Amino acid sequence: ELVRHRDILRSALTPSQRRVALSFLQAPGDYFDAAPTFKQSYAPQSGEIFGILGQMKETFEANLASAQKEEEANQKAFEDLKAAKEEEIASGTEQVEKKSEQLADTDEKNAQAKTDIQDTK
């Protein structure tokens, strides 16, 4: 068969494909009885992939723990700052009240002094 269709096969098959076809035609049992060669050369990579995923998980957990500690520290710093600012506001409000009382006293004394001046004239 190969001899009759030699010209067609030469244009359709590469030389390496022709050698494989010829060896198949000479001993077809070798191809059907033999174990597939791709299984011999295939080495599953799932162990390596699981290793990479495990490392990624450890890294993410470490980053999460670090971010949580940083967030706690930032929260405490915020609470401390908030307390200090509220204390400053309370102190400022108290000073405003004292100054308002002093201004009222001063205004009253000033009005009294003006009245006394007018009475003495």
Side-chain angles (χ1 to χ4, degrees), residues 25-65:
L25 290 174
Q26 289 174 354
D30 291 345
Y31 286 89
F32 292 118
D33 295 336
T37 57
F38 71 92
K39 286 186 179 177
Q40 294 169 354
S41 65
Y42 176 73
Q45 301 297 313
S46 60
E48 185 176 342
I49 292 171
F50 280 121
I52 291 169
L53 291 175
Q55 288 175 347
M56 288 174 64
K57 181 180 180 242
E58 289 173 6
T59 302
F60 291 151
E61 287 173 346
N63 289 347
L64 176 63

mmCIF file of all heavy atoms in Angstrom, residues 25-65:
data_model
loop_
_atom_site.group_PDB
_atom_site.id
_atom_site.type_symbol
_atom_site.label_atom_id
_atom_site.label_comp_id
_atom_site.label_asym_id
_atom_site.label_seq_id
_atom_site.Cartn_x
_atom_site.Cartn_y
_atom_site.Cartn_z
ATOM 1 N N LEU A 25 3.127 -0.113 10.612
ATOM 2 C CA LEU A 25 2.629 -1.104 9.666
ATOM 3 C C LEU A 25 3.424 -2.402 9.735
ATOM 4 O O LEU A 25 2.884 -3.487 9.520
ATOM 5 C CB LEU A 25 2.670 -0.549 8.240
ATOM 6 C CG LEU A 25 1.656 0.567 7.967
ATOM 7 C CD1 LEU A 25 1.875 1.140 6.580
ATOM 8 C CD2 LEU A 25 0.237 0.055 8.105
ATOM 9 N N GLN A 26 4.687 -2.327 10.077
ATOM 10 C CA GLN A 26 5.512 -3.524 10.156
ATOM 11 C C GLN A 26 5.227 -4.324 11.423
ATOM 12 O O GLN A 26 5.259 -5.547 11.408
ATOM 13 C CB GLN A 26 6.991 -3.154 10.091
ATOM 14 C CG GLN A 26 7.417 -2.694 8.721
ATOM 15 C CD GLN A 26 8.862 -2.198 8.707
ATOM 16 O OE1 GLN A 26 9.508 -2.104 9.749
ATOM 17 N NE2 GLN A 26 9.344 -1.875 7.513
ATOM 18 N N ALA A 27 4.926 -3.639 12.561
ATOM 19 C CA ALA A 27 4.657 -4.349 13.817
ATOM 20 C C ALA A 27 3.570 -3.624 14.588
ATOM 21 O O ALA A 27 3.842 -2.925 15.577
ATOM 22 C CB ALA A 27 5.918 -4.448 14.636
ATOM 23 N N PRO A 28 2.294 -3.755 14.196
ATOM 24 C CA PRO A 28 1.224 -3.033 14.891
ATOM 25 C C PRO A 28 1.014 -3.503 16.333
ATOM 26 O O PRO A 28 0.559 -2.752 17.181
ATOM 27 C CB PRO A 28 0.000 -3.303 14.047
ATOM 28 C CG PRO A 28 0.307 -4.496 13.238
ATOM 29 C CD PRO A 28 1.796 -4.540 13.084
ATOM 30 N N GLY A 29 1.355 -4.718 16.662
ATOM 31 C CA GLY A 29 1.182 -5.232 18.018
ATOM 32 C C GLY A 29 2.030 -4.496 19.027
ATOM 33 O O GLY A 29 1.656 -4.350 20.198
ATOM 34 N N ASP A 30 3.199 -4.019 18.604
ATOM 35 C CA ASP A 30 4.077 -3.284 19.521
ATOM 36 C C ASP A 30 3.410 -1.997 20.005
ATOM 37 O O ASP A 30 3.616 -1.572 21.132
ATOM 38 C CB ASP A 30 5.402 -2.937 18.832
ATOM 39 C CG ASP A 30 6.244 -4.175 18.568
ATOM 40 O OD1 ASP A 30 5.926 -5.228 19.163
ATOM 41 O OD2 ASP A 30 7.201 -4.069 17.780
ATOM 42 N N TYR A 31 2.611 -1.390 19.156
ATOM 43 C CA TYR A 31 1.967 -0.128 19.522
ATOM 44 C C TYR A 31 0.746 -0.343 20.410
ATOM 45 O O TYR A 31 0.468 0.448 21.285
ATOM 46 C CB TYR A 31 1.573 0.651 18.259
ATOM 47 C CG TYR A 31 2.761 1.273 17.583
ATOM 48 C CD1 TYR A 31 3.471 0.565 16.619
ATOM 49 C CD2 TYR A 31 3.183 2.534 17.929
ATOM 50 C CE1 TYR A 31 4.579 1.110 16.011
ATOM 51 C CE2 TYR A 31 4.293 3.093 17.323
ATOM 52 C CZ TYR A 31 4.988 2.380 16.359
ATOM 53 O OH TYR A 31 6.074 2.933 15.773
ATOM 54 N N PHE A 32 0.013 -1.426 20.186
ATOM 55 C CA PHE A 32 -1.200 -1.658 20.971
ATOM 56 C C PHE A 32 -0.915 -2.314 22.309
ATOM 57 O O PHE A 32 -1.635 -2.112 23.274
ATOM 58 C CB PHE A 32 -2.198 -2.508 20.177
ATOM 59 C CG PHE A 32 -2.764 -1.786 18.987
ATOM 60 C CD1 PHE A 32 -2.551 -2.266 17.695
ATOM 61 C CD2 PHE A 32 -3.491 -0.625 19.144
ATOM 62 C CE1 PHE A 32 -3.065 -1.599 16.604
ATOM 63 C CE2 PHE A 32 -4.008 0.044 18.054
ATOM 64 C CZ PHE A 32 -3.793 -0.436 16.778
ATOM 65 N N ASP A 33 0.140 -3.109 22.379
ATOM 66 C CA ASP A 33 0.455 -3.816 23.626
ATOM 67 C C ASP A 33 1.342 -2.992 24.562
ATOM 68 O O ASP A 33 1.376 -3.244 25.750
ATOM 69 C CB ASP A 33 1.159 -5.143 23.317
ATOM 70 C CG ASP A 33 0.237 -6.099 22.571
ATOM 71 O OD1 ASP A 33 -0.992 -5.934 22.708
ATOM 72 O OD2 ASP A 33 0.743 -6.988 21.865
ATOM 73 N N ALA A 34 2.047 -2.038 24.027
ATOM 74 C CA ALA A 34 2.976 -1.257 24.843
ATOM 75 C C ALA A 34 2.217 -0.251 25.707
ATOM 76 O O ALA A 34 1.154 0.234 25.343
ATOM 77 C CB ALA A 34 3.960 -0.514 23.943
ATOM 78 N N ALA A 35 2.794 0.028 26.872
ATOM 79 C CA ALA A 35 2.199 1.039 27.753
ATOM 80 C C ALA A 35 2.418 2.414 27.128
ATOM 81 O O ALA A 35 3.423 2.647 26.462
ATOM 82 C CB ALA A 35 2.865 0.989 29.126
ATOM 83 N N PRO A 36 1.495 3.297 27.319
ATOM 84 C CA PRO A 36 1.660 4.637 26.738
ATOM 85 C C PRO A 36 2.919 5.313 27.278
ATOM 86 O O PRO A 36 3.208 5.255 28.468
ATOM 87 C CB PRO A 36 0.409 5.384 27.187
ATOM 88 C CG PRO A 36 -0.563 4.330 27.583
ATOM 89 C CD PRO A 36 0.230 3.145 27.994
ATOM 90 N N THR A 37 3.638 5.944 26.405
ATOM 91 C CA THR A 37 4.908 6.556 26.805
ATOM 92 C C THR A 37 4.700 7.875 27.535
ATOM 93 O O THR A 37 5.547 8.294 28.295
ATOM 94 C CB THR A 37 5.804 6.790 25.586
ATOM 95 O OG1 THR A 37 5.098 7.603 24.665
ATOM 96 C CG2 THR A 37 6.209 5.484 24.945
ATOM 97 N N PHE A 38 3.586 8.535 27.328
ATOM 98 C CA PHE A 38 3.384 9.819 28.001
ATOM 99 C C PHE A 38 3.243 9.629 29.503
ATOM 100 O O PHE A 38 3.592 10.507 30.276
ATOM 101 C CB PHE A 38 2.179 10.577 27.424
ATOM 102 C CG PHE A 38 0.853 9.983 27.773
ATOM 103 C CD1 PHE A 38 0.158 10.403 28.894
ATOM 104 C CD2 PHE A 38 0.283 9.012 26.971
ATOM 105 C CE1 PHE A 38 -1.068 9.864 29.214
ATOM 106 C CE2 PHE A 38 -0.944 8.467 27.284
ATOM 107 C CZ PHE A 38 -1.622 8.884 28.406
ATOM 108 N N LYS A 39 2.752 8.468 29.945
ATOM 109 C CA LYS A 39 2.642 8.223 31.377
ATOM 110 C C LYS A 39 4.013 8.026 32.004
ATOM 111 O O LYS A 39 4.225 8.354 33.158
ATOM 112 C CB LYS A 39 1.772 6.994 31.652
ATOM 113 C CG LYS A 39 0.307 7.235 31.439
ATOM 114 C CD LYS A 39 -0.495 6.035 31.870
ATOM 115 C CE LYS A 39 -1.969 6.286 31.675
ATOM 116 N NZ LYS A 39 -2.758 5.109 32.032
ATOM 117 N N GLN A 40 4.938 7.483 31.234
ATOM 118 C CA GLN A 40 6.274 7.264 31.760
ATOM 119 C C GLN A 40 6.995 8.598 31.985
ATOM 120 O O GLN A 40 7.742 8.745 32.932
ATOM 121 C CB GLN A 40 7.078 6.405 30.799
ATOM 122 C CG GLN A 40 6.537 4.998 30.680
ATOM 123 C CD GLN A 40 7.180 4.239 29.529
ATOM 124 O OE1 GLN A 40 7.947 4.804 28.773
ATOM 125 N NE2 GLN A 40 6.855 2.961 29.416
ATOM 126 N N SER A 41 6.766 9.539 31.117
ATOM 127 C CA SER A 41 7.471 10.805 31.231
ATOM 128 C C SER A 41 6.695 11.835 32.051
ATOM 129 O O SER A 41 7.241 12.854 32.403
ATOM 130 C CB SER A 41 7.740 11.379 29.838
ATOM 131 O OG SER A 41 6.515 11.703 29.200
ATOM 132 N N TYR A 42 5.431 11.560 32.343
ATOM 133 C CA TYR A 42 4.617 12.530 33.090
ATOM 134 C C TYR A 42 4.887 12.391 34.580
ATOM 135 O O TYR A 42 4.781 11.312 35.146
ATOM 136 C CB TYR A 42 3.133 12.318 32.813
ATOM 137 C CG TYR A 42 2.250 13.222 33.637
ATOM 138 C CD1 TYR A 42 2.154 14.569 33.347
ATOM 139 C CD2 TYR A 42 1.539 12.739 34.727
ATOM 140 C CE1 TYR A 42 1.366 15.412 34.088
ATOM 141 C CE2 TYR A 42 0.749 13.576 35.486
ATOM 142 C CZ TYR A 42 0.662 14.909 35.160
ATOM 143 O OH TYR A 42 -0.116 15.746 35.900
ATOM 144 N N ALA A 43 5.247 13.484 35.191
ATOM 145 C CA ALA A 43 5.426 13.532 36.642
ATOM 146 C C ALA A 43 4.445 14.580 37.165
ATOM 147 O O ALA A 43 4.526 15.744 36.788
ATOM 148 C CB ALA A 43 6.841 13.914 36.999
ATOM 149 N N PRO A 44 3.506 14.173 38.001
ATOM 150 C CA PRO A 44 2.513 15.143 38.466
ATOM 151 C C PRO A 44 3.168 16.288 39.229
ATOM 152 O O PRO A 44 4.101 16.079 40.004
ATOM 153 C CB PRO A 44 1.600 14.325 39.377
ATOM 154 C CG PRO A 44 2.330 13.086 39.694
ATOM 155 C CD PRO A 44 3.341 12.864 38.596
ATOM 156 N N GLN A 45 2.683 17.472 38.999
ATOM 157 C CA GLN A 45 3.225 18.677 39.612
ATOM 158 C C GLN A 45 2.351 19.160 40.773
ATOM 159 O O GLN A 45 2.574 20.238 41.298
ATOM 160 C CB GLN A 45 3.340 19.789 38.557
ATOM 161 C CG GLN A 45 4.233 19.427 37.385
ATOM 162 C CD GLN A 45 5.665 19.193 37.807
ATOM 163 O OE1 GLN A 45 6.223 19.987 38.549
ATOM 164 N NE2 GLN A 45 6.254 18.104 37.367
ATOM 165 N N SER A 46 1.367 18.356 41.147
ATOM 166 C CA SER A 46 0.441 18.811 42.183
ATOM 167 C C SER A 46 1.142 19.025 43.522
ATOM 168 O O SER A 46 0.786 19.921 44.276
ATOM 169 C CB SER A 46 -0.710 17.823 42.341
ATOM 170 O OG SER A 46 -0.222 16.544 42.706
ATOM 171 N N GLY A 47 2.156 18.237 43.827
ATOM 172 C CA GLY A 47 2.883 18.431 45.089
ATOM 173 C C GLY A 47 3.550 19.793 45.137
ATOM 174 O O GLY A 47 3.508 20.484 46.153
ATOM 175 N N GLU A 48 4.150 20.180 44.034
ATOM 176 C CA GLU A 48 4.798 21.486 43.970
ATOM 177 C C GLU A 48 3.768 22.601 44.062
ATOM 178 O O GLU A 48 3.976 23.601 44.752
ATOM 179 C CB GLU A 48 5.586 21.603 42.667
ATOM 180 C CG GLU A 48 6.383 22.871 42.550
ATOM 181 C CD GLU A 48 7.229 22.912 41.283
ATOM 182 O OE1 GLU A 48 7.465 21.860 40.686
ATOM 183 O OE2 GLU A 48 7.643 24.020 40.916
ATOM 184 N N ILE A 49 2.635 22.399 43.388
ATOM 185 C CA ILE A 49 1.569 23.410 43.418
ATOM 186 C C ILE A 49 1.023 23.550 44.833
ATOM 187 O O ILE A 49 0.832 24.666 45.327
ATOM 188 C CB ILE A 49 0.455 23.054 42.418
ATOM 189 C CG1 ILE A 49 0.986 23.193 40.995
ATOM 190 C CG2 ILE A 49 -0.764 23.932 42.626
ATOM 191 C CD1 ILE A 49 0.066 22.665 39.929
ATOM 192 N N PHE A 50 0.801 22.409 45.513
ATOM 193 C CA PHE A 50 0.312 22.479 46.887
ATOM 194 C C PHE A 50 1.338 23.155 47.788
ATOM 195 O O PHE A 50 0.991 23.878 48.722
ATOM 196 C CB PHE A 50 -0.035 21.090 47.423
ATOM 197 C CG PHE A 50 -1.370 20.597 46.963
ATOM 198 C CD1 PHE A 50 -1.472 19.413 46.251
ATOM 199 C CD2 PHE A 50 -2.521 21.303 47.232
ATOM 200 C CE1 PHE A 50 -2.693 18.949 45.820
ATOM 201 C CE2 PHE A 50 -3.755 20.846 46.806
ATOM 202 C CZ PHE A 50 -3.838 19.665 46.094
ATOM 203 N N GLY A 51 2.624 22.927 47.514
ATOM 204 C CA GLY A 51 3.674 23.601 48.285
ATOM 205 C C GLY A 51 3.626 25.103 48.102
ATOM 206 O O GLY A 51 3.719 25.860 49.073
ATOM 207 N N ILE A 52 3.450 25.544 46.862
ATOM 208 C CA ILE A 52 3.364 26.977 46.582
ATOM 209 C C ILE A 52 2.128 27.568 47.257
ATOM 210 O O ILE A 52 2.193 28.634 47.877
ATOM 211 C CB ILE A 52 3.327 27.228 45.058
ATOM 212 C CG1 ILE A 52 4.684 26.877 44.442
ATOM 213 C CG2 ILE A 52 2.966 28.668 44.744
ATOM 214 C CD1 ILE A 52 4.688 26.841 42.930
ATOM 215 N N LEU A 53 1.008 26.850 47.146
ATOM 216 C CA LEU A 53 -0.222 27.336 47.780
ATOM 217 C C LEU A 53 -0.072 27.393 49.299
ATOM 218 O O LEU A 53 -0.563 28.333 49.944
ATOM 219 C CB LEU A 53 -1.413 26.452 47.391
ATOM 220 C CG LEU A 53 -1.856 26.544 45.938
ATOM 221 C CD1 LEU A 53 -2.951 25.526 45.656
ATOM 222 C CD2 LEU A 53 -2.338 27.933 45.602
ATOM 223 N N GLY A 54 0.621 26.410 49.868
ATOM 224 C CA GLY A 54 0.859 26.414 51.312
ATOM 225 C C GLY A 54 1.697 27.610 51.733
ATOM 226 O O GLY A 54 1.405 28.264 52.740
ATOM 227 N N GLN A 55 2.737 27.907 50.956
ATOM 228 C CA GLN A 55 3.569 29.068 51.254
ATOM 229 C C GLN A 55 2.765 30.354 51.138
ATOM 230 O O GLN A 55 2.906 31.265 51.962
ATOM 231 C CB GLN A 55 4.765 29.124 50.295
ATOM 232 C CG GLN A 55 5.803 28.081 50.564
ATOM 233 C CD GLN A 55 6.910 28.100 49.513
ATOM 234 O OE1 GLN A 55 6.784 28.710 48.478
ATOM 235 N NE2 GLN A 55 8.001 27.406 49.822
ATOM 236 N N MET A 56 1.917 30.419 50.101
ATOM 237 C CA MET A 56 1.078 31.615 49.938
ATOM 238 C C MET A 56 0.150 31.778 51.135
ATOM 239 O O MET A 56 -0.030 32.886 51.645
ATOM 240 C CB MET A 56 0.264 31.518 48.641
ATOM 241 C CG MET A 56 1.084 31.688 47.381
ATOM 242 S SD MET A 56 0.159 31.391 45.862
ATOM 243 C CE MET A 56 -1.052 32.689 45.930
ATOM 244 N N LYS A 57 -0.429 30.671 51.602
ATOM 245 C CA LYS A 57 -1.329 30.728 52.751
ATOM 246 C C LYS A 57 -0.588 31.227 53.992
ATOM 247 O O LYS A 57 -1.092 32.088 54.721
ATOM 248 C CB LYS A 57 -1.931 29.353 53.014
ATOM 249 C CG LYS A 57 -2.904 29.334 54.179
ATOM 250 C CD LYS A 57 -3.462 27.938 54.391
ATOM 251 C CE LYS A 57 -4.416 27.959 55.550
ATOM 252 N NZ LYS A 57 -4.033 27.128 56.646
ATOM 253 N N GLU A 58 0.611 30.682 54.233
ATOM 254 C CA GLU A 58 1.403 31.119 55.388
ATOM 255 C C GLU A 58 1.734 32.604 55.295
ATOM 256 O O GLU A 58 1.653 33.327 56.290
ATOM 257 C CB GLU A 58 2.687 30.302 55.480
ATOM 258 C CG GLU A 58 2.463 28.860 55.891
ATOM 259 C CD GLU A 58 3.737 28.025 55.798
ATOM 260 O OE1 GLU A 58 4.817 28.590 55.520
ATOM 261 O OE2 GLU A 58 3.648 26.808 56.019
ATOM 262 N N THR A 59 2.085 33.046 54.095
ATOM 263 C CA THR A 59 2.404 34.467 53.903
ATOM 264 C C THR A 59 1.181 35.328 54.169
ATOM 265 O O THR A 59 1.261 36.358 54.847
ATOM 266 C CB THR A 59 2.912 34.705 52.463
ATOM 267 O OG1 THR A 59 4.054 33.888 52.238
ATOM 268 C CG2 THR A 59 3.270 36.157 52.248
ATOM 269 N N PHE A 60 0.026 34.910 53.632
ATOM 270 C CA PHE A 60 -1.198 35.678 53.843
ATOM 271 C C PHE A 60 -1.576 35.716 55.319
ATOM 272 O O PHE A 60 -2.007 36.750 55.832
ATOM 273 C CB PHE A 60 -2.355 35.110 53.028
ATOM 274 C CG PHE A 60 -2.211 35.286 51.542
ATOM 275 C CD1 PHE A 60 -2.785 34.387 50.674
ATOM 276 C CD2 PHE A 60 -1.503 36.348 51.006
ATOM 277 C CE1 PHE A 60 -2.659 34.541 49.303
ATOM 278 C CE2 PHE A 60 -1.366 36.516 49.646
ATOM 279 C CZ PHE A 60 -1.955 35.604 48.783
ATOM 280 N N GLU A 61 -1.418 34.590 56.018
ATOM 281 C CA GLU A 61 -1.742 34.565 57.448
ATOM 282 C C GLU A 61 -0.806 35.481 58.226
ATOM 283 O O GLU A 61 -1.242 36.191 59.135
ATOM 284 C CB GLU A 61 -1.664 33.136 57.975
ATOM 285 C CG GLU A 61 -2.820 32.262 57.527
ATOM 286 C CD GLU A 61 -2.663 30.804 57.915
ATOM 287 O OE1 GLU A 61 -1.539 30.384 58.304
ATOM 288 O OE2 GLU A 61 -3.664 30.071 57.826
ATOM 289 N N ALA A 62 0.471 35.465 57.877
ATOM 290 C CA ALA A 62 1.430 36.340 58.560
ATOM 291 C C ALA A 62 1.098 37.805 58.280
ATOM 292 O O ALA A 62 1.127 38.640 59.196
ATOM 293 C CB ALA A 62 2.855 36.031 58.103
ATOM 294 N N ASN A 63 0.765 38.109 57.034
ATOM 295 C CA ASN A 63 0.394 39.485 56.686
ATOM 296 C C ASN A 63 -0.878 39.900 57.410
ATOM 297 O O ASN A 63 -0.999 41.045 57.858
ATOM 298 C CB ASN A 63 0.209 39.632 55.178
ATOM 299 C CG ASN A 63 1.515 39.568 54.422
ATOM 300 O OD1 ASN A 63 2.576 39.659 55.007
ATOM 301 N ND2 ASN A 63 1.433 39.399 53.122
ATOM 302 N N LEU A 64 -1.834 38.984 57.521
ATOM 303 C CA LEU A 64 -3.086 39.285 58.217
ATOM 304 C C LEU A 64 -2.813 39.567 59.689
ATOM 305 O O LEU A 64 -3.325 40.545 60.248
ATOM 306 C CB LEU A 64 -4.071 38.126 58.070
ATOM 307 C CG LEU A 64 -5.392 38.258 58.829
ATOM 308 C CD1 LEU A 64 -6.183 39.450 58.312
ATOM 309 C CD2 LEU A 64 -6.199 36.987 58.715
ATOM 310 N N ALA A 65 -2.003 38.731 60.322
ATOM 311 C CA ALA A 65 -1.683 38.935 61.739
ATOM 312 C C ALA A 65 -0.980 40.271 61.934
ATOM 313 O O ALA A 65 -1.300 41.028 62.866
ATOM 314 C CB ALA A 65 -0.808 37.791 62.252
#
